Amino acid sequence: MPSPVPATNLITVATALGLFALTIYLLVVGENVFIPLVLAIFISYLIVALSHVVDRLTLGNWRPPGWLSLSIAIILFLLAIALVIQLITGNVRAVVDAAPQYQERLQNLLSDINRAIAFSLPWGGPLTLTTMLESFDLRALAGRFAGALQSIAGNAFLILLYVAFLLLEYRTFDRKLAAMFPAAEQLEKVRSTLAEIGRKVETYVAVKTLASLLVGGLSYVALLFFGVDFAGFWALLIFILNFIPYIGSLIAVFFPTVLTLLQFGSLGLFVLVLAVLTGVQVFVGHVLEPRWMGKSLNLSPLIILVALSIWGALWGVTGMILSVPITVIGAIILAQFPVTRSVAVFMSENGEVR
């Protein structure tokens, strides 16, 4: 007869499940509070990473002090934000206004496809897939995207306020840690864990931002070369979607190539733009980015997909963008405790955790 499960184990499992359910509930209910805070944390990592780049610059034997490097990084970040705002205000409204025109072209194109397929088949009944596509509302889609950008812009002041206080805390955080953990061994372990989290998240944010800028910039040049409308808007969209693992690249390529077909009505140009944009995504995402990133993340692709689904369900597109760095932090924390270390090993790509 098997021995009964100890009551303490049942209590532990029940407590863990209860805490997990409470965490999910708080993440959903407190979405408007947590999303700006989490975005601010990763923006802070980006600014710190940028300051480290500035810190490596030398002029003879002179190197910029830490405060100057951080100040330059903040100025560069604010200039980038100003550029993004200019792109948004200059292009989103134009895309929304032009959406009905492209909607009509889309319906005409789908009607032509429907007639061509119906003519080649022995029956003339309507095609369900085409009927569904004909109900695809480009104006509503563009409006929803504009609304999402406006929502982020509405939280911009709160996010920047969080960033400012996080950067102020950055200078005194180590002293607070020393006061919180007086035991030298415990303090060293906490510092090591936080340093590992900082290193991996900083690497991910910096490399992903650089890769996204490169993909967006090359795509902008290609779309401008081919004369595709709203090249700046599509480049911005590609830059944002490139932060979403796997599916972001597919969506980023889909919209400008479909617009190319609607704008020019040329299948050859459509295929050419599709090939060029896909080539840019493959070159940066599968050649350059892995070299820059190395094995610093050490996350299983399956875990990335699961995290993408979970955080996307919780926080939408913003959750999908933040899914990888949040999962990286979770895996590092889980690896520090014997009880949860096996979970961190399962989440890793090569089974090695520190």
Side-chain angles (χ1 to χ4, degrees):
M1 180 178 178
S3 58
V5 179
T8 52
N9 288 353
L10 289 176
I11 293 173
T12 302
V13 171
T15 303
L17 291 175
L19 288 174
F20 178 76
L22 180 62
T23 301
I24 296 297
Y25 174 76
L26 291 176
L27 288 174
V28 174
V29 173
E31 175 182 346
N32 294 330
V33 175
F34 289 118
I35 288 181
L37 178 59
V38 175
L39 283 172
I41 290 171
F42 292 113
I43 289 173
S44 301
Y45 274 116
L46 176 61
I47 292 175
V48 171
L50 191 57
S51 72
H52 289 165
V53 173
V54 176
D55 191 52
R56 296 189 188 100
L57 301 177
T58 57
L59 187 61
N61 293 326
W62 181 84
R63 293 183 64 178
W67 65 268
L68 181 59
S69 300
L70 188 61
S71 300
I72 293 173
I74 293 172
I75 293 171
L76 291 175
F77 174 77
L78 292 176
L79 289 175
I81 291 296
L83 178 61
V84 169
I85 292 173
Q86 185 178 6
L87 282 172
I88 291 174
T89 55
N91 288 277
V92 171
R93 178 50 55 186
V95 172
V96 173
D97 292 340
Q101 174 187 353
Y102 287 104
Q103 178 75 25
E104 182 180 353
R105 294 181 187 179
L106 176 63
Q107 291 176 339
N108 292 336
L109 177 64
L110 292 172
S111 297
D112 292 340
I113 294 173
N114 191 33
R115 284 194 296 270
I117 295 177
F119 179 78
S120 63
L121 295 175
W123 60 86
L127 297 174
T128 304
L129 178 60
T130 306
T131 304
M132 290 171 58
L133 288 173
E134 285 179 346
S135 64
F136 185 64
D137 193 343
L138 283 176
R139 187 181 179 87
L141 182 66
R144 283 195 294 270
F145 182 74
L149 290 178
Q150 288 173 356
S151 175
I152 295 174
N155 289 321
F157 176 75
L158 181 60
I159 293 172
L160 292 177
L161 191 64
Y162 280 145
V163 170
F165 280 96
L166 285 168
L167 292 176
L168 288 174
E169 288 288 324
Y170 177 74
R171 298 182 304 171
T172 60
F173 187 66
D174 192 66
R175 290 201 299 270
K176 291 181 180 181
L177 278 182
M180 292 168 60
F181 301 98
E185 184 177 345
Q186 191 179 20
L187 176 62
E188 184 59 31
K189 184 174 182 179
V190 172
R191 279 177 173 168
S192 176
T193 301
L194 292 176
E196 182 74 4
I197 291 174
R199 184 183 64 81
K200 288 194 174 184
V201 174
E202 186 180 315
T203 299
Y204 175 80
V205 172
V207 169
K208 201 65 181 177
T209 301
L210 179 60
S212 299
L213 282 171
L214 186 58
V215 169
L218 292 176
S219 299
Y220 174 74
V221 172
L223 293 171
L224 206 62
F225 176 79
F226 291 116
V228 180
D229 289 342
F230 315 117
F233 173 81
W234 298 123
L236 175 63
L237 184 64
I238 289 170
F239 168 77
I240 295 172
L241 290 175
N242 197 61
F243 282 89
I244 301 176
Y246 304 125
I247 64 172
S249 299
L250 298 176
I251 300 173
V253 169
F254 173 77
F255 285 109
T257 51
V258 169
L259 183 80
T260 301
L261 183 60
L262 297 179
Q263 180 181 343
F264 298 102
S266 169
L267 187 60
L269 187 58
F270 165 80
V271 172
L272 185 58
V273 171
L274 176 63
V276 171
L277 294 184
T278 303
V280 169
Q281 292 281 352
V282 170
F283 175 67
V284 176
H286 296 276
V287 178
L288 296 182
E289 192 174 323
R291 291 186 179 182
W292 294 340
M293 195 80 73
K295 292 294 183 180
S296 61
L297 291 183
N298 192 23
L299 278 181
S300 164
L302 175 62
I303 295 300
I304 293 176
L305 280 175
V306 172
L308 185 67
S309 303
I310 293 174
W311 287 104
L314 289 175
W315 288 350
V317 175
T318 306
M320 297 170 78
I321 293 173
L322 297 173
S323 61
V324 172
I326 290 175
T327 308
V328 167
I329 293 175
I332 295 172
I333 294 174
L334 290 172
Q336 305 309 308
F337 305 98
V339 177
T340 56
R341 186 174 177 82
S342 59
V343 179
V345 172
F346 176 76
M347 294 172 65
S348 67
E349 184 178 12
N350 54 21
E352 298 178 1
V353 295
R354 291 193 290 175

